[in-house]
Amino acid sequence: MTSTLPAQRKDSQLYIGLMSGTSVDGVDGVLARLAPGQPPQVLASSSLPMPSELRQELLALNVAGEDELARGALAANSLARLYAQAVTALLRDAGVEARDVAAIGAHGQTVRHRPDSGYTIQLNAPALLAELSGIDVVADFRSRDVAAGGQGAPLVPPFHAAVFGAPQGRAVLNLGGIANVTLLEPGQPPRGFDTGPANVFLDGWCQRHLGTPYDADGRWAATGQVVAPLLEQLIASEPWFALPPPKSTGRDLFNMQWLDARLDAYDGSRPAPQDVQATLQRLTARTVANAIDAAAAGTREVFVCGGGARNAGLMRELAYCLQRPVRATDALGVPAQEVEALAFAWLAQAFMAGSPAGLPAVTGASGPRILGALYPA
């Protein structure tokens, strides 16, 4: 496509990436310099909590309800205003003017992900964000891949390959609400897919029983015991786990109703809530390990990003189930909480350069596609 950007933006190496993930706990943002042939240089980062009312509405919009269209549009506007606050903080902290930034990559909030039915929905108001920030916005990254027959997810493996590639077998694991893994093997193109639930159950069960947003460091899970028969039932009862890649998932499948149905069907005695939490923590680690062992048994080390990297209990479970070194991506020079936002800055740069960023081997699309749509300031 032909760009109508001012000259200073055409030549700018500054990009902003914004991410609000399946956990719906906040908005992460980075302002980075993305110079060809150079590692990304993060100039500023920002993390804003999701306002409680907006969080509850976004979660509610994951399931069918009354007046969804209007509610979804209003929630998208509220999210764009929160994005704009993050942008303002990034510009201020980096000492950068809006006119010096080439583009914002804004993923939006996924409320439906049904590539099997040919659609995916990320609530966003990129035109409003462009208006509020004065910066061009690239959004809607998934739909072109889905239109080409792909899953539209995961989107980050090419970024992981560019930033975290190594001469030995390495996996990059993102632990948001859903877990996804990128497999980086010497001499092979990157592969990646979702592995199943990460924090979606851990947070939801904790919120239900403790009234806290998450299980800090897995401390509550540590007071319980893994219920092995329940763990086996959770895995065996869900055919999705056994599907080969490419595959992706979300709250459409893995939600609290999914968990409640399996707890009701469990033929053992009802476990204590803390034992369920311990079992759910093991479920995340075990399904990740199963997926990596099946797809890339030669993987020698695993680097973790996303909110789950801050959960010491979950990281210990991963090391136990994987039987490999497990570390946060901080060890590779990119803080775990910044990785996904940085990935969307990178995807925005790819769009502005007219470079296909989709990987058919990852998503199953019929070919590489330029991902995103431009909303000029």
Side-chain angles (χ1 to χ4, degrees), residues 19 22 142 153-157 160 171-183 191-198 240 247-249 288 291-292 302-305 340:
M19 179 64 185
T22 313
R142 295 195 192 278
L155 294 172
V156 293
H160 288 162
V172 181
L173 174 66
N174 177 60
L175 295 176
I178 299 296
N180 61 72
V181 66
T182 298
L183 304 173
R191 294 181 292 146
F193 50 90
D194 289 353
T195 65
W240 187 90
K247 64 178 183 177
S248 60
T249 189
V288 166
I292 291 176
V302 178
F303 290 90
V304 184
C305 59
E340 280 213 298

PDB file of all heavy atoms in Angstrom, residues 19 22 142 153-157 160 171-183 191-198 240 247-249 288 291-292 302-305 340:
ATOM      1  N   MET A  19      -0.356  -3.945  24.602  1.00  0.00           N
ATOM      2  CA  MET A  19      -0.923  -5.279  24.724  1.00  0.00           C
ATOM      3  C   MET A  19      -1.802  -5.376  25.960  1.00  0.00           C
ATOM      4  O   MET A  19      -1.400  -4.982  27.055  1.00  0.00           O
ATOM      5  CB  MET A  19       0.208  -6.315  24.823  1.00  0.00           C
ATOM      6  CG  MET A  19      -0.265  -7.733  24.976  1.00  0.00           C
ATOM      7  SD  MET A  19      -1.194  -8.285  23.517  1.00  0.00           S
ATOM      8  CE  MET A  19      -1.744  -9.894  24.044  1.00  0.00           C
ATOM      9  N   THR A  22      -5.231 -12.021  27.573  1.00  0.00           N
ATOM     10  CA  THR A  22      -6.374 -12.829  27.978  1.00  0.00           C
ATOM     11  C   THR A  22      -6.636 -12.750  29.475  1.00  0.00           C
ATOM     12  O   THR A  22      -7.757 -12.966  29.927  1.00  0.00           O
ATOM     13  CB  THR A  22      -6.152 -14.301  27.569  1.00  0.00           C
ATOM     14  OG1 THR A  22      -5.713 -14.335  26.214  1.00  0.00           O
ATOM     15  CG2 THR A  22      -7.421 -15.105  27.689  1.00  0.00           C
ATOM     16  N   ARG A 142      -4.932 -10.034  13.469  1.00  0.00           N
ATOM     17  CA  ARG A 142      -5.261 -11.446  13.292  1.00  0.00           C
ATOM     18  C   ARG A 142      -6.118 -11.743  12.059  1.00  0.00           C
ATOM     19  O   ARG A 142      -6.011 -12.818  11.466  1.00  0.00           O
ATOM     20  CB  ARG A 142      -6.016 -11.974  14.519  1.00  0.00           C
ATOM     21  CG  ARG A 142      -5.215 -11.990  15.793  1.00  0.00           C
ATOM     22  CD  ARG A 142      -5.914 -12.855  16.840  1.00  0.00           C
ATOM     23  NE  ARG A 142      -5.338 -12.690  18.150  1.00  0.00           N
ATOM     24  CZ  ARG A 142      -4.243 -13.302  18.599  1.00  0.00           C
ATOM     25  NH1 ARG A 142      -3.570 -14.102  17.791  1.00  0.00           N
ATOM     26  NH2 ARG A 142      -3.812 -13.104  19.819  1.00  0.00           N
ATOM     27  N   ALA A 153      -3.265 -16.940  15.126  1.00  0.00           N
ATOM     28  CA  ALA A 153      -2.513 -16.982  16.382  1.00  0.00           C
ATOM     29  C   ALA A 153      -1.710 -18.285  16.426  1.00  0.00           C
ATOM     30  O   ALA A 153      -2.084 -19.255  15.767  1.00  0.00           O
ATOM     31  CB  ALA A 153      -3.471 -16.918  17.567  1.00  0.00           C
ATOM     32  N   PRO A 154      -0.622 -18.269  17.205  1.00  0.00           N
ATOM     33  CA  PRO A 154       0.001 -17.100  17.822  1.00  0.00           C
ATOM     34  C   PRO A 154       0.717 -16.231  16.793  1.00  0.00           C
ATOM     35  O   PRO A 154       1.159 -16.730  15.765  1.00  0.00           O
ATOM     36  CB  PRO A 154       0.994 -17.713  18.818  1.00  0.00           C
ATOM     37  CG  PRO A 154       1.308 -19.053  18.251  1.00  0.00           C
ATOM     38  CD  PRO A 154       0.079 -19.522  17.544  1.00  0.00           C
ATOM     39  N   LEU A 155       0.805 -14.939  17.119  1.00  0.00           N
ATOM     40  CA  LEU A 155       1.412 -13.971  16.210  1.00  0.00           C
ATOM     41  C   LEU A 155       2.888 -13.718  16.497  1.00  0.00           C
ATOM     42  O   LEU A 155       3.595 -13.160  15.659  1.00  0.00           O
ATOM     43  CB  LEU A 155       0.667 -12.634  16.315  1.00  0.00           C
ATOM     44  CG  LEU A 155      -0.787 -12.606  15.837  1.00  0.00           C
ATOM     45  CD1 LEU A 155      -1.414 -11.269  16.192  1.00  0.00           C
ATOM     46  CD2 LEU A 155      -0.872 -12.862  14.350  1.00  0.00           C
ATOM     47  N   VAL A 156       3.355 -14.123  17.670  1.00  0.00           N
ATOM     48  CA  VAL A 156       4.668 -13.671  18.125  1.00  0.00           C
ATOM     49  C   VAL A 156       5.860 -14.546  17.723  1.00  0.00           C
ATOM     50  O   VAL A 156       7.006 -14.099  17.889  1.00  0.00           O
ATOM     51  CB  VAL A 156       4.668 -13.493  19.660  1.00  0.00           C
ATOM     52  CG1 VAL A 156       3.755 -12.340  20.049  1.00  0.00           C
ATOM     53  CG2 VAL A 156       4.233 -14.777  20.360  1.00  0.00           C
ATOM     54  N   PRO A 157       5.697 -15.774  17.210  1.00  0.00           N
ATOM     55  CA  PRO A 157       6.892 -16.577  16.891  1.00  0.00           C
ATOM     56  C   PRO A 157       7.921 -15.903  15.992  1.00  0.00           C
ATOM     57  O   PRO A 157       9.130 -16.033  16.269  1.00  0.00           O
ATOM     58  CB  PRO A 157       6.296 -17.838  16.252  1.00  0.00           C
ATOM     59  CG  PRO A 157       5.014 -18.032  16.988  1.00  0.00           C
ATOM     60  CD  PRO A 157       4.483 -16.619  17.132  1.00  0.00           C
ATOM     61  N   HIS A 160       9.833 -13.648  18.256  1.00  0.00           N
ATOM     62  CA  HIS A 160      10.691 -14.443  19.145  1.00  0.00           C
ATOM     63  C   HIS A 160      11.930 -14.932  18.407  1.00  0.00           C
ATOM     64  O   HIS A 160      13.040 -14.919  18.949  1.00  0.00           O
ATOM     65  CB  HIS A 160       9.918 -15.642  19.689  1.00  0.00           C
ATOM     66  CG  HIS A 160       8.876 -15.289  20.696  1.00  0.00           C
ATOM     67  ND1 HIS A 160       7.844 -16.144  21.040  1.00  0.00           N
ATOM     68  CD2 HIS A 160       8.685 -14.166  21.442  1.00  0.00           C
ATOM     69  CE1 HIS A 160       7.081 -15.567  21.944  1.00  0.00           C
ATOM     70  NE2 HIS A 160       7.577 -14.377  22.207  1.00  0.00           N
ATOM     71  N   ALA A 171      13.011 -22.867  23.594  1.00  0.00           N
ATOM     72  CA  ALA A 171      11.585 -22.552  23.530  1.00  0.00           C
ATOM     73  C   ALA A 171      11.344 -21.242  24.265  1.00  0.00           C
ATOM     74  O   ALA A 171      11.951 -20.980  25.308  1.00  0.00           O
ATOM     75  CB  ALA A 171      10.745 -23.662  24.146  1.00  0.00           C
ATOM     76  N   VAL A 172      10.462 -20.425  23.705  1.00  0.00           N
ATOM     77  CA  VAL A 172      10.009 -19.203  24.366  1.00  0.00           C
ATOM     78  C   VAL A 172       8.542 -19.408  24.700  1.00  0.00           C
ATOM     79  O   VAL A 172       7.721 -19.637  23.808  1.00  0.00           O
ATOM     80  CB  VAL A 172      10.207 -17.962  23.487  1.00  0.00           C
ATOM     81  CG1 VAL A 172       9.744 -16.709  24.224  1.00  0.00           C
ATOM     82  CG2 VAL A 172      11.668 -17.816  23.080  1.00  0.00           C
ATOM     83  N   LEU A 173       8.234 -19.350  25.964  1.00  0.00           N
ATOM     84  CA  LEU A 173       6.893 -19.655  26.466  1.00  0.00           C
ATOM     85  C   LEU A 173       6.245 -18.399  27.006  1.00  0.00           C
ATOM     86  O   LEU A 173       6.785 -17.760  27.913  1.00  0.00           O
ATOM     87  CB  LEU A 173       6.993 -20.720  27.561  1.00  0.00           C
ATOM     88  CG  LEU A 173       5.715 -21.079  28.315  1.00  0.00           C
ATOM     89  CD1 LEU A 173       4.699 -21.748  27.396  1.00  0.00           C
ATOM     90  CD2 LEU A 173       6.051 -21.983  29.499  1.00  0.00           C
ATOM     91  N   ASN A 174       5.094 -18.034  26.452  1.00  0.00           N
ATOM     92  CA  ASN A 174       4.330 -16.904  26.960  1.00  0.00           C
ATOM     93  C   ASN A 174       3.209 -17.413  27.843  1.00  0.00           C
ATOM     94  O   ASN A 174       2.391 -18.228  27.419  1.00  0.00           O
ATOM     95  CB  ASN A 174       3.744 -16.073  25.816  1.00  0.00           C
ATOM     96  CG  ASN A 174       2.886 -14.933  26.342  1.00  0.00           C
ATOM     97  OD1 ASN A 174       3.364 -14.071  27.072  1.00  0.00           O
ATOM     98  ND2 ASN A 174       1.603 -14.963  26.014  1.00  0.00           N
ATOM     99  N   LEU A 175       3.171 -16.923  29.081  1.00  0.00           N
ATOM    100  CA  LEU A 175       2.146 -17.332  30.034  1.00  0.00           C
ATOM    101  C   LEU A 175       1.251 -16.146  30.360  1.00  0.00           C
ATOM    102  O   LEU A 175       1.506 -15.372  31.280  1.00  0.00           O
ATOM    103  CB  LEU A 175       2.795 -17.860  31.319  1.00  0.00           C
ATOM    104  CG  LEU A 175       3.625 -19.136  31.191  1.00  0.00           C
ATOM    105  CD1 LEU A 175       4.277 -19.457  32.521  1.00  0.00           C
ATOM    106  CD2 LEU A 175       2.768 -20.292  30.711  1.00  0.00           C
ATOM    107  N   GLY A 176       0.216 -15.974  29.559  1.00  0.00           N
ATOM    108  CA  GLY A 176      -0.831 -15.009  29.860  1.00  0.00           C
ATOM    109  C   GLY A 176      -2.028 -15.780  30.396  1.00  0.00           C
ATOM    110  O   GLY A 176      -1.894 -16.722  31.170  1.00  0.00           O
ATOM    111  N   GLY A 177      -3.224 -15.398  29.978  1.00  0.00           N
ATOM    112  CA  GLY A 177      -4.376 -16.216  30.322  1.00  0.00           C
ATOM    113  C   GLY A 177      -4.257 -17.592  29.690  1.00  0.00           C
ATOM    114  O   GLY A 177      -4.548 -18.621  30.298  1.00  0.00           O
ATOM    115  N   ILE A 178      -3.804 -17.594  28.430  1.00  0.00           N
ATOM    116  CA  ILE A 178      -3.522 -18.811  27.681  1.00  0.00           C
ATOM    117  C   ILE A 178      -2.019 -18.911  27.476  1.00  0.00           C
ATOM    118  O   ILE A 178      -1.335 -17.897  27.350  1.00  0.00           O
ATOM    119  CB  ILE A 178      -4.261 -18.781  26.321  1.00  0.00           C
ATOM    120  CG1 ILE A 178      -5.788 -18.696  26.541  1.00  0.00           C
ATOM    121  CG2 ILE A 178      -3.909 -19.987  25.463  1.00  0.00           C
ATOM    122  CD1 ILE A 178      -6.401 -19.888  27.237  1.00  0.00           C
ATOM    123  N   ALA A 179      -1.494 -20.128  27.434  1.00  0.00           N
ATOM    124  CA  ALA A 179      -0.068 -20.340  27.196  1.00  0.00           C
ATOM    125  C   ALA A 179       0.177 -20.593  25.720  1.00  0.00           C
ATOM    126  O   ALA A 179      -0.568 -21.342  25.079  1.00  0.00           O
ATOM    127  CB  ALA A 179       0.430 -21.527  28.011  1.00  0.00           C
ATOM    128  N   ASN A 180       1.215 -19.963  25.173  1.00  0.00           N
ATOM    129  CA  ASN A 180       1.662 -20.299  23.821  1.00  0.00           C
ATOM    130  C   ASN A 180       3.173 -20.417  23.806  1.00  0.00           C
ATOM    131  O   ASN A 180       3.873 -19.774  24.593  1.00  0.00           O
ATOM    132  CB  ASN A 180       1.157 -19.295  22.779  1.00  0.00           C
ATOM    133  CG  ASN A 180       1.637 -17.888  23.022  1.00  0.00           C
ATOM    134  OD1 ASN A 180       2.801 -17.579  22.817  1.00  0.00           O
ATOM    135  ND2 ASN A 180       0.741 -17.013  23.465  1.00  0.00           N
ATOM    136  N   VAL A 181       3.664 -21.271  22.929  1.00  0.00           N
ATOM    137  CA  VAL A 181       5.082 -21.570  22.896  1.00  0.00           C
ATOM    138  C   VAL A 181       5.630 -21.369  21.493  1.00  0.00           C
ATOM    139  O   VAL A 181       4.947 -21.642  20.501  1.00  0.00           O
ATOM    140  CB  VAL A 181       5.355 -23.017  23.381  1.00  0.00           C
ATOM    141  CG1 VAL A 181       4.769 -24.048  22.434  1.00  0.00           C
ATOM    142  CG2 VAL A 181       6.843 -23.261  23.593  1.00  0.00           C
ATOM    143  N   THR A 182       6.845 -20.838  21.408  1.00  0.00           N
ATOM    144  CA  THR A 182       7.591 -20.746  20.162  1.00  0.00           C
ATOM    145  C   THR A 182       8.783 -21.678  20.270  1.00  0.00           C
ATOM    146  O   THR A 182       9.529 -21.625  21.256  1.00  0.00           O
ATOM    147  CB  THR A 182       8.087 -19.315  19.916  1.00  0.00           C
ATOM    148  OG1 THR A 182       6.969 -18.434  19.795  1.00  0.00           O
ATOM    149  CG2 THR A 182       8.904 -19.241  18.630  1.00  0.00           C
ATOM    150  N   LEU A 183       8.955 -22.529  19.269  1.00  0.00           N
ATOM    151  CA  LEU A 183      10.046 -23.497  19.246  1.00  0.00           C
ATOM    152  C   LEU A 183      11.101 -23.020  18.259  1.00  0.00           C
ATOM    153  O   LEU A 183      10.815 -22.837  17.074  1.00  0.00           O
ATOM    154  CB  LEU A 183       9.521 -24.877  18.847  1.00  0.00           C
ATOM    155  CG  LEU A 183       8.370 -25.413  19.731  1.00  0.00           C
ATOM    156  CD1 LEU A 183       7.820 -26.697  19.160  1.00  0.00           C
ATOM    157  CD2 LEU A 183       8.855 -25.610  21.165  1.00  0.00           C
ATOM    158  N   ARG A 191       8.541 -22.477  14.881  1.00  0.00           N
ATOM    159  CA  ARG A 191       7.201 -23.041  15.000  1.00  0.00           C
ATOM    160  C   ARG A 191       6.574 -22.530  16.286  1.00  0.00           C
ATOM    161  O   ARG A 191       7.290 -22.149  17.225  1.00  0.00           O
ATOM    162  CB  ARG A 191       7.247 -24.570  15.023  1.00  0.00           C
ATOM    163  CG  ARG A 191       7.724 -25.191  13.720  1.00  0.00           C
ATOM    164  CD  ARG A 191       7.711 -26.710  13.818  1.00  0.00           C
ATOM    165  NE  ARG A 191       8.726 -27.187  14.745  1.00  0.00           N
ATOM    166  CZ  ARG A 191       8.581 -28.269  15.519  1.00  0.00           C
ATOM    167  NH1 ARG A 191       7.432 -28.940  15.512  1.00  0.00           N
ATOM    168  NH2 ARG A 191       9.557 -28.657  16.317  1.00  0.00           N
ATOM    169  N   GLY A 192       5.261 -22.530  16.337  1.00  0.00           N
ATOM    170  CA  GLY A 192       4.607 -22.071  17.550  1.00  0.00           C
ATOM    171  C   GLY A 192       3.142 -22.420  17.560  1.00  0.00           C
ATOM    172  O   GLY A 192       2.524 -22.622  16.505  1.00  0.00           O
ATOM    173  N   PHE A 193       2.576 -22.501  18.759  1.00  0.00           N
ATOM    174  CA  PHE A 193       1.165 -22.838  18.912  1.00  0.00           C
ATOM    175  C   PHE A 193       0.764 -22.611  20.372  1.00  0.00           C
ATOM    176  O   PHE A 193       1.620 -22.478  21.254  1.00  0.00           O
ATOM    177  CB  PHE A 193       0.893 -24.299  18.505  1.00  0.00           C
ATOM    178  CG  PHE A 193       1.825 -25.296  19.137  1.00  0.00           C
ATOM    179  CD1 PHE A 193       1.519 -25.892  20.346  1.00  0.00           C
ATOM    180  CD2 PHE A 193       3.028 -25.623  18.520  1.00  0.00           C
ATOM    181  CE1 PHE A 193       2.385 -26.803  20.933  1.00  0.00           C
ATOM    182  CE2 PHE A 193       3.901 -26.530  19.093  1.00  0.00           C
ATOM    183  CZ  PHE A 193       3.580 -27.125  20.312  1.00  0.00           C
ATOM    184  N   ASP A 194      -0.531 -22.559  20.611  1.00  0.00           N
ATOM    185  CA  ASP A 194      -1.047 -22.497  21.974  1.00  0.00           C
ATOM    186  C   ASP A 194      -0.968 -23.888  22.595  1.00  0.00           C
ATOM    187  O   ASP A 194      -1.161 -24.908  21.904  1.00  0.00           O
ATOM    188  CB  ASP A 194      -2.489 -22.010  21.990  1.00  0.00           C
ATOM    189  CG  ASP A 194      -2.630 -20.534  21.644  1.00  0.00           C
ATOM    190  OD1 ASP A 194      -1.605 -19.847  21.510  1.00  0.00           O
ATOM    191  OD2 ASP A 194      -3.780 -20.072  21.502  1.00  0.00           O
ATOM    192  N   THR A 195      -0.708 -23.932  23.905  1.00  0.00           N
ATOM    193  CA  THR A 195      -0.647 -25.210  24.599  1.00  0.00           C
ATOM    194  C   THR A 195      -1.828 -25.446  25.520  1.00  0.00           C
ATOM    195  O   THR A 195      -2.057 -26.574  25.952  1.00  0.00           O
ATOM    196  CB  THR A 195       0.647 -25.330  25.426  1.00  0.00           C
ATOM    197  OG1 THR A 195       0.636 -24.351  26.465  1.00  0.00           O
ATOM    198  CG2 THR A 195       1.882 -25.126  24.538  1.00  0.00           C
ATOM    199  N   GLY A 196      -2.589 -24.379  25.839  1.00  0.00           N
ATOM    200  CA  GLY A 196      -3.747 -24.532  26.716  1.00  0.00           C
ATOM    201  C   GLY A 196      -3.805 -23.432  27.751  1.00  0.00           C
ATOM    202  O   GLY A 196      -3.208 -22.361  27.576  1.00  0.00           O
ATOM    203  N   PRO A 197      -4.480 -23.668  28.858  1.00  0.00           N
ATOM    204  CA  PRO A 197      -4.635 -22.619  29.876  1.00  0.00           C
ATOM    205  C   PRO A 197      -3.328 -22.330  30.587  1.00  0.00           C
ATOM    206  O   PRO A 197      -2.519 -23.228  30.824  1.00  0.00           O
ATOM    207  CB  PRO A 197      -5.669 -23.228  30.839  1.00  0.00           C
ATOM    208  CG  PRO A 197      -5.524 -24.706  30.673  1.00  0.00           C
ATOM    209  CD  PRO A 197      -5.165 -24.918  29.232  1.00  0.00           C
ATOM    210  N   ALA A 198      -3.118 -21.055  30.912  1.00  0.00           N
ATOM    211  CA  ALA A 198      -2.001 -20.661  31.763  1.00  0.00           C
ATOM    212  C   ALA A 198      -2.580 -20.058  33.034  1.00  0.00           C
ATOM    213  O   ALA A 198      -2.823 -20.757  34.006  1.00  0.00           O
ATOM    214  CB  ALA A 198      -1.076 -19.694  31.043  1.00  0.00           C
ATOM    215  N   TRP A 240      -9.031 -31.076  22.776  1.00  0.00           N
ATOM    216  CA  TRP A 240      -8.169 -30.039  22.201  1.00  0.00           C
ATOM    217  C   TRP A 240      -6.704 -30.284  22.518  1.00  0.00           C
ATOM    218  O   TRP A 240      -5.822 -30.017  21.689  1.00  0.00           O
ATOM    219  CB  TRP A 240      -8.592 -28.657  22.711  1.00  0.00           C
ATOM    220  CG  TRP A 240      -7.863 -27.535  22.045  1.00  0.00           C
ATOM    221  CD1 TRP A 240      -8.216 -26.855  20.921  1.00  0.00           C
ATOM    222  CD2 TRP A 240      -6.600 -26.971  22.463  1.00  0.00           C
ATOM    223  NE1 TRP A 240      -7.266 -25.916  20.609  1.00  0.00           N
ATOM    224  CE2 TRP A 240      -6.268 -25.960  21.530  1.00  0.00           C
ATOM    225  CE3 TRP A 240      -5.740 -27.222  23.526  1.00  0.00           C
ATOM    226  CZ2 TRP A 240      -5.107 -25.203  21.651  1.00  0.00           C
ATOM    227  CZ3 TRP A 240      -4.570 -26.476  23.636  1.00  0.00           C
ATOM    228  CH2 TRP A 240      -4.265 -25.473  22.715  1.00  0.00           C
ATOM    229  N   LYS A 247      -2.616 -24.811  16.086  1.00  0.00           N
ATOM    230  CA  LYS A 247      -3.814 -24.698  16.908  1.00  0.00           C
ATOM    231  C   LYS A 247      -3.688 -23.496  17.835  1.00  0.00           C
ATOM    232  O   LYS A 247      -2.588 -23.086  18.220  1.00  0.00           O
ATOM    233  CB  LYS A 247      -4.057 -25.970  17.708  1.00  0.00           C
ATOM    234  CG  LYS A 247      -2.991 -26.319  18.730  1.00  0.00           C
ATOM    235  CD  LYS A 247      -3.407 -27.591  19.467  1.00  0.00           C
ATOM    236  CE  LYS A 247      -2.417 -27.960  20.564  1.00  0.00           C
ATOM    237  NZ  LYS A 247      -2.874 -29.161  21.310  1.00  0.00           N
ATOM    238  N   SER A 248      -4.833 -22.925  18.150  1.00  0.00           N
ATOM    239  CA  SER A 248      -4.907 -21.805  19.078  1.00  0.00           C
ATOM    240  C   SER A 248      -6.214 -21.923  19.835  1.00  0.00           C
ATOM    241  O   SER A 248      -7.119 -22.654  19.443  1.00  0.00           O
ATOM    242  CB  SER A 248      -4.831 -20.466  18.330  1.00  0.00           C
ATOM    243  OG  SER A 248      -5.899 -20.342  17.402  1.00  0.00           O
ATOM    244  N   THR A 249      -6.321 -21.191  20.925  1.00  0.00           N
ATOM    245  CA  THR A 249      -7.513 -21.290  21.755  1.00  0.00           C
ATOM    246  C   THR A 249      -7.676 -20.007  22.550  1.00  0.00           C
ATOM    247  O   THR A 249      -6.936 -19.039  22.377  1.00  0.00           O
ATOM    248  CB  THR A 249      -7.428 -22.522  22.680  1.00  0.00           C
ATOM    249  OG1 THR A 249      -8.690 -22.728  23.322  1.00  0.00           O
ATOM    250  CG2 THR A 249      -6.343 -22.362  23.733  1.00  0.00           C
ATOM    251  N   VAL A 288       2.020 -27.719  29.096  1.00  0.00           N
ATOM    252  CA  VAL A 288       3.147 -27.092  28.410  1.00  0.00           C
ATOM    253  C   VAL A 288       4.232 -28.128  28.137  1.00  0.00           C
ATOM    254  O   VAL A 288       4.758 -28.237  27.021  1.00  0.00           O
ATOM    255  CB  VAL A 288       3.716 -25.923  29.247  1.00  0.00           C
ATOM    256  CG1 VAL A 288       5.086 -25.492  28.725  1.00  0.00           C
ATOM    257  CG2 VAL A 288       2.760 -24.735  29.237  1.00  0.00           C
ATOM    258  N   ALA A 291       3.320 -30.613  25.446  1.00  0.00           N
ATOM    259  CA  ALA A 291       3.356 -30.026  24.105  1.00  0.00           C
ATOM    260  C   ALA A 291       4.787 -29.894  23.604  1.00  0.00           C
ATOM    261  O   ALA A 291       5.089 -30.212  22.440  1.00  0.00           O
ATOM    262  CB  ALA A 291       2.661 -28.662  24.114  1.00  0.00           C
ATOM    263  N   ILE A 292       5.689 -29.429  24.449  1.00  0.00           N
ATOM    264  CA  ILE A 292       7.078 -29.264  24.030  1.00  0.00           C
ATOM    265  C   ILE A 292       7.724 -30.619  23.780  1.00  0.00           C
ATOM    266  O   ILE A 292       8.440 -30.814  22.785  1.00  0.00           O
ATOM    267  CB  ILE A 292       7.863 -28.444  25.064  1.00  0.00           C
ATOM    268  CG1 ILE A 292       7.366 -26.990  25.065  1.00  0.00           C
ATOM    269  CG2 ILE A 292       9.364 -28.489  24.795  1.00  0.00           C
ATOM    270  CD1 ILE A 292       7.998 -26.108  26.119  1.00  0.00           C
ATOM    271  N   VAL A 302      14.112 -23.324  28.276  1.00  0.00           N
ATOM    272  CA  VAL A 302      12.831 -22.655  28.102  1.00  0.00           C
ATOM    273  C   VAL A 302      12.909 -21.293  28.776  1.00  0.00           C
ATOM    274  O   VAL A 302      13.294 -21.194  29.951  1.00  0.00           O
ATOM    275  CB  VAL A 302      11.677 -23.486  28.701  1.00  0.00           C
ATOM    276  CG1 VAL A 302      10.347 -22.742  28.557  1.00  0.00           C
ATOM    277  CG2 VAL A 302      11.601 -24.865  28.032  1.00  0.00           C
ATOM    278  N   PHE A 303      12.541 -20.255  28.016  1.00  0.00           N
ATOM    279  CA  PHE A 303      12.499 -18.898  28.542  1.00  0.00           C
ATOM    280  C   PHE A 303      11.052 -18.433  28.571  1.00  0.00           C
ATOM    281  O   PHE A 303      10.321 -18.599  27.593  1.00  0.00           O
ATOM    282  CB  PHE A 303      13.365 -17.968  27.697  1.00  0.00           C
ATOM    283  CG  PHE A 303      14.835 -18.242  27.859  1.00  0.00           C
ATOM    284  CD1 PHE A 303      15.472 -19.154  27.027  1.00  0.00           C
ATOM    285  CD2 PHE A 303      15.562 -17.615  28.852  1.00  0.00           C
ATOM    286  CE1 PHE A 303      16.820 -19.421  27.184  1.00  0.00           C
ATOM    287  CE2 PHE A 303      16.918 -17.878  29.012  1.00  0.00           C
ATOM    288  CZ  PHE A 303      17.546 -18.785  28.184  1.00  0.00           C
ATOM    289  N   VAL A 304      10.655 -17.847  29.679  1.00  0.00           N
ATOM    290  CA  VAL A 304       9.251 -17.551  29.944  1.00  0.00           C
ATOM    291  C   VAL A 304       9.029 -16.049  29.964  1.00  0.00           C
ATOM    292  O   VAL A 304       9.819 -15.292  30.545  1.00  0.00           O
ATOM    293  CB  VAL A 304       8.811 -18.165  31.292  1.00  0.00           C
ATOM    294  CG1 VAL A 304       7.318 -17.933  31.525  1.00  0.00           C
ATOM    295  CG2 VAL A 304       9.124 -19.663  31.325  1.00  0.00           C
ATOM    296  N   CYS A 305       7.933 -15.626  29.342  1.00  0.00           N
ATOM    297  CA  CYS A 305       7.509 -14.224  29.385  1.00  0.00           C
ATOM    298  C   CYS A 305       6.035 -14.183  29.756  1.00  0.00           C
ATOM    299  O   CYS A 305       5.370 -15.204  29.889  1.00  0.00           O
ATOM    300  CB  CYS A 305       7.771 -13.528  28.054  1.00  0.00           C
ATOM    301  SG  CYS A 305       6.943 -14.273  26.630  1.00  0.00           S
ATOM    302  N   GLU A 340       5.500  -9.107  25.071  1.00  0.00           N
ATOM    303  CA  GLU A 340       4.367  -9.074  24.133  1.00  0.00           C
ATOM    304  C   GLU A 340       4.119  -7.675  23.591  1.00  0.00           C
ATOM    305  O   GLU A 340       3.814  -7.512  22.414  1.00  0.00           O
ATOM    306  CB  GLU A 340       3.116  -9.645  24.802  1.00  0.00           C
ATOM    307  CG  GLU A 340       3.099 -11.153  24.819  1.00  0.00           C
ATOM    308  CD  GLU A 340       1.702 -11.697  24.701  1.00  0.00           C
ATOM    309  OE1 GLU A 340       0.886 -11.418  25.605  1.00  0.00           O
ATOM    310  OE2 GLU A 340       1.398 -12.404  23.714  1.00  0.00           O
TER     311      GLU A 340
END
